[in-house]
Amino acid sequence: MIKLDNICVQFGGVKALDNINAEFSQPISGIIGPNGAGKTTTMNSVSGFLDYQGTISWNGEVIDGLNPFKRTRWGLRRSFQKEQIADDLTVIDNLKALIDNLGIKGSQRKQDLEWAIESMGISALAYREAATLNTYERRLTDLARCILGNPKIVMLDEPCGGLQQDETERLGDLILKIPQLTRANTLVIDHDVDLIARICAETLVLDFGKPIAFGKTREVLANPKVKAAYLGVEEVA
Amino acid sequence: MKMTVSARVGLILAALAFVFLPMVLGGQWIKILISTGCFIIAASGVAFMYSRLGMVSLGQVALMGVGGWVMLRMNHAFHLPFEVNLAVAGAVTLMFGWLLAMPALRMRGLYLALITLMAAGGLEVIFSTFRFPNGGEGFWGVMPSVAAPFQRPLLATEDSDYLRYIIFWIVAAFLIIEMHMRTAPGRAWAMIRRSEAAAYSSGVNVVYYKAWAFGLAGFLAGISGGLLAGGLGLLDPATFRASESIMLFALMVVGGSRGWLGVIIAGILYRVVPALFNDWTIDADLALVIFGAALLHAIITAPNGLSGQLLDLIAKLSKRT
Ligand SMILES: Nc1ncnc2c1ncn2[C@@H]1O[C@H](COP(=O)(O)OP(=O)(O)O)[C@@H](O)[C@H]1O
Ligand SMILES: [Mg+2]
């Protein structure tokens, strides 16, 4: 369970996050909201990339005291809105760059790498230079990194950005597999409400840095406040 | 570990150079190539910092001066083997690299470049004030006019053998960098270059690995400075002016920073071209004009430098046949 307790973030005079409280107890949960609502800022807080007030914990383990790279070593994984694969490394080296820092050695390391690559169906790409990958393949590499090393929290920031409809569906299936592959709680941000409705049991809706709804995805999406703040905008756009 | 085509070609060329260069060249050119080789080793340090981490270091030749100073100091103070002195020179300069890294770690791009340039300027002042040890008394060890003899490695007391010794070290330097690239530090550097967010989300300790890079570049500078001291027997402060550090960096960009060929080209442009101009009694300042034009050419049309263009050309030609 990922618990956000009174999270506040301030950029200069602007309150980017205003008292976010949420307990994501489902294997996969979502965060939705219009552009600039504070979704990425929420993930950046969990990553420790910025100063925030409040408490972030997973199954009672408070991670506020850990700096960003230690949070990764602790068991936090994430992908970014704009994926952050290193172009001059091969796919497997992009995974090694992570496992290098997790203290996993020897045969276990080899096994974990193979497992992550196979689980995402990218064995054929393992020795390809990342620069030659298309958007979907890069997203798969990202996902393989996210399940590597027995993670506790996985966060995916718009994992289906820039993907075709059928690719989004296949990636959705893979995200749905994360709870079977790992013990992690997964958080997903996406604009695609259909995707969120399909893969997230629970959803937090943000608007202007404030939580306007949180609960079962189906109920949240039916909430008139949510429809007004988000879905209305989205449907026009 | 797999060997790439480029690595194989490089090793073959190095072996050929090792055997034949000292045989076919005259005394003056052997001396020029010895110092060229030293600058190639130093350039390999800036090149990997630039190509793998995107860090601009404008203090490499000044750091060479540190290595050279330590080498001469050790040589004239004790009677230790050359290799021991060289190791000390490398280690001390590595620590200077760290010292340089401390203020620079939190900075990026232009600010980092400026910090390294300021350090180079500071070292320039120190070198020209205190000069290089030549066997004199005291800590600074400078005596007027004559210099005490310099103890070269036992295997390479002659210039021609010393050139071979340098070629060996060039290969060693490239292999040390290559070893890094293929292991955890190289991957961490690639992540840092991608973005700090990418590095953090890979669990990379950014400060640690940046400091490691500075240390490695410093070590290579120290070794090259120590080897240069061995090549010349004494060192002149003018060799290590801050402007020389800028020049070496610029020529590294011209040559191309991504592989051994670019670094070799940089070294040749830095040392051999001016010597050729000297031979042909052409004004040495003309070299600067040409370098400037080459730098513009590289920045505008050849992101991978002359070596990149050469390799592209070879690839094109081999496809045609
Ligand atoms: N580093 C930053 N400095 C200042 N303002 C920021 C920063 N990051 C995000 N913001 C602002 O905070 C708000 C929320 O942004 P973000 O979390 O990226 O939104 P989104 O929900 O689209 O992911 C936006 O108004 C954005 O401009
Ligand atoms: Mg966002």
Side-chain angles (χ1 to χ4, degrees):
Chain A
M1 183 179 74
I2 304 166
K3 190 170 175 202
L4 308 181
D5 222 348
N6 283 314
I7 303 301
C8 297
V9 171
Q10 195 113 3
F11 290 124
V14 186
K15 266 201 166 159
L17 290 184
D18 191 2
N19 247 334
I20 309 290
N21 284 291
E23 292 184 12
F24 300 99
S25 56
Q26 297 298 316
I28 303 178
S29 313
I31 304 179
I32 60 172
N35 264 329
K39 305 182 297 294
T40 299
T41 303
T42 304
M43 285 198 177
N44 285 344
S45 306
V46 179
S47 284
F49 288 174
L50 38 79
D51 288 330
Y52 59 87
Q53 288 175 310
T55 303
I56 298 169
S57 61
W58 177 80
N59 289 357
E61 291 179 44
V62 176
I63 60 171
D64 300 327
L66 301 176
N67 67 30
F69 76 82
K70 291 213 172 114
R71 290 188 192 196
T72 302
R73 294 177 182 188
W74 166 83
L76 177 66
R77 301 286 175 274
R78 79 173 283 188
S79 71
F80 295 86
Q81 221 165 318
K82 166 134 190 28
E83 45 69 33
Q84 297 291 320
I85 302 290
D87 272 338
D88 44 359
L89 297 184
T90 59
V91 168
I92 195 164
D93 276 352
N94 267 286
L95 269 70
K96 283 184 188 168
L98 169 64
I99 206 168
D100 282 340
N101 303 300
L102 301 179
I104 300 170
K105 300 239 148 58
S107 62
Q108 184 67 43
R109 171 188 160 102
K110 207 165 162 244
Q111 211 175 310
D112 284 7
L113 287 168
E114 270 170 23
W115 168 84
I117 283 178
E118 264 167 38
S119 301
M120 292 302 140
I122 49 174
S123 304
L125 303 176
Y127 293 95
R128 276 257 300 274
E129 194 169 303
T132 67
L133 301 178
N134 65 32
T135 311
Y136 180 59
E137 293 163 341
R138 299 173 84 85
R139 295 293 186 188
L140 292 179
T141 307
D142 247 346
L143 270 191
R145 276 167 51 92
C146 282
I147 59 169
L148 194 59
N150 205 7
K152 296 170 176 170
I153 299 176
V154 172
M155 300 190 297
L156 308 172
D157 194 348
E158 305 197 19
C160 297
L163 295 186
Q164 310 283 330
Q165 186 61 41
D166 59 318
E167 292 170 339
T168 299
E169 246 159 61
R170 275 184 284 155
L171 203 75
D173 291 340
L174 288 172
I175 295 171
L176 278 171
K177 269 172 61 186
I178 294 178
Q180 292 141 46
L181 294 167
T182 74
R183 61 178 164 166
N185 289 92
T186 301
L187 273 182
V188 182
I189 294 176
D190 214 285
H191 277 301
D192 188 337
V193 176
D194 292 339
L195 175 79
I196 295 289
R198 182 157 80 92
I199 65 176
C200 302
E202 253 176 357
T203 297
L204 169 70
V205 186
L206 296 179
D207 195 18
F208 294 110
K210 289 195 177 66
I212 58 170
F214 179 59
K216 290 217 175 71
T217 305
R218 201 178 305 271
E219 289 165 18
V220 163
L221 292 177
N223 184 325
K225 255 186 5 195
V226 174
K227 280 187 168 163
Y230 180 60
L231 299 178
V233 180
E234 190 64 17
E235 265 161 18
V236 176
Chain B
M1 290 227 167
K2 270 214 320 250
M3 219 200 282
T4 59
V5 177
S6 144
R8 220 171 288 156
V9 172
L11 285 175
I12 291 168
L13 285 180
L16 291 176
F18 186 90
V19 176
F20 292 111
L21 265 187
M23 282 162 61
V24 298
L25 288 177
Q28 189 54 35
W29 278 101
I30 287 184
K31 280 198 163 58
I32 290 166
L33 282 198
I34 285 173
S35 82
T36 303
C38 295
F39 283 96
I40 285 172
I41 294 169
S44 71
V46 248
F48 99 82
M49 288 248 285
Y50 182 62
S51 68
R52 303 301 171 162
L53 281 110
M55 297 203 290
V56 173
S57 164
L58 298 177
Q60 190 74 347
V61 177
L63 286 176
M64 272 179 90
V66 173
W69 190 94
V70 173
M71 192 71 187
L72 291 171
R73 182 62 285 177
M74 294 289 294
N75 176 76
H76 295 303
F78 314 106
H79 290 281
L80 296 167
F82 182 89
E83 282 75 15
V84 173
N85 293 347
L86 193 61
V88 174
V92 170
T93 317
L94 184 156
M95 281 185 265
F96 262 78
W98 276 339
L99 222 58
L100 198 61
M102 267 195 246
L105 282 177
R106 305 255 163 234
M107 297 180 203
R108 254 167 276 172
L110 190 60
Y111 297 101
L112 171 61
L114 284 176
I115 284 279
T116 58
L117 187 58
M118 277 164 59
L123 286 169
E124 175 177 335
V125 173
I126 293 172
F127 293 147
S128 58
T129 309
F130 296 102
R131 315 195 72 80
F132 286 88
N134 59 4
E137 297 288 307
F139 177 72
W140 298 103
V142 179
M143 58 183 176
S145 63
V146 289
F150 187 93
Q151 179 81 45
R152 275 195 187 167
L154 291 176
L155 281 172
T157 49
E158 295 298 314
D159 272 354
S160 54
D161 291 333
Y162 195 70
L163 178 56
R164 293 200 167 102
Y165 192 78
I166 297 281
I167 292 171
F168 166 83
W169 267 105
I170 293 173
V171 173
F174 286 178
L175 289 180
I176 290 170
I177 293 172
E178 188 59 25
M179 282 300 292
H180 277 82
M181 298 322 304
R182 290 177 182 219
T183 49
R187 293 188 282 266
W189 291 335
M191 283 299 162
I192 292 171
R193 191 163 81 106
R194 182 70 181 87
S195 72
E196 227 137 89
Y200 287 138
S201 60
S202 302
V204 170
N205 185 342
V206 173
V207 170
Y208 175 82
Y209 278 109
K210 274 191 183 174
W212 188 330
F214 270 97
L216 177 57
F219 173 76
L220 292 169
I223 294 290
S224 67
L227 289 170
L228 189 66
L232 303 173
L234 41 92
L235 292 173
D236 177 9
T239 310
F240 307 105
R241 280 200 285 252
S243 56
E244 297 300 320
S245 291
I246 299 176
M247 177 67 84
L248 190 70
F249 179 83
L251 291 178
M252 184 273 295
V253 173
V254 170
S257 57
R258 290 199 68 92
W260 58 264
L261 183 57
V263 177
I264 303 271
I265 292 175
I268 289 173
L269 290 174
Y270 188 80
R271 265 292 178 262
V272 177
V273 168
L276 278 176
F277 278 30
N278 198 28
D279 250 22
W280 301 332
T281 60
I282 302 174
D283 191 346
D285 285 346
L286 197 60
L288 288 179
V289 175
I290 294 174
F291 290 167
L295 184 61
L296 279 179
H297 165 79
I299 290 171
I300 295 166
T301 68
N304 294 321
L306 292 179
S307 63
Q309 285 192 320
L310 255 170
L311 295 175
D312 285 349
L313 190 68
I314 293 171
K316 257 186 220 152
L317 288 177
S318 64
K319 247 182 222 153
R320 216 175 280 167
T321 54

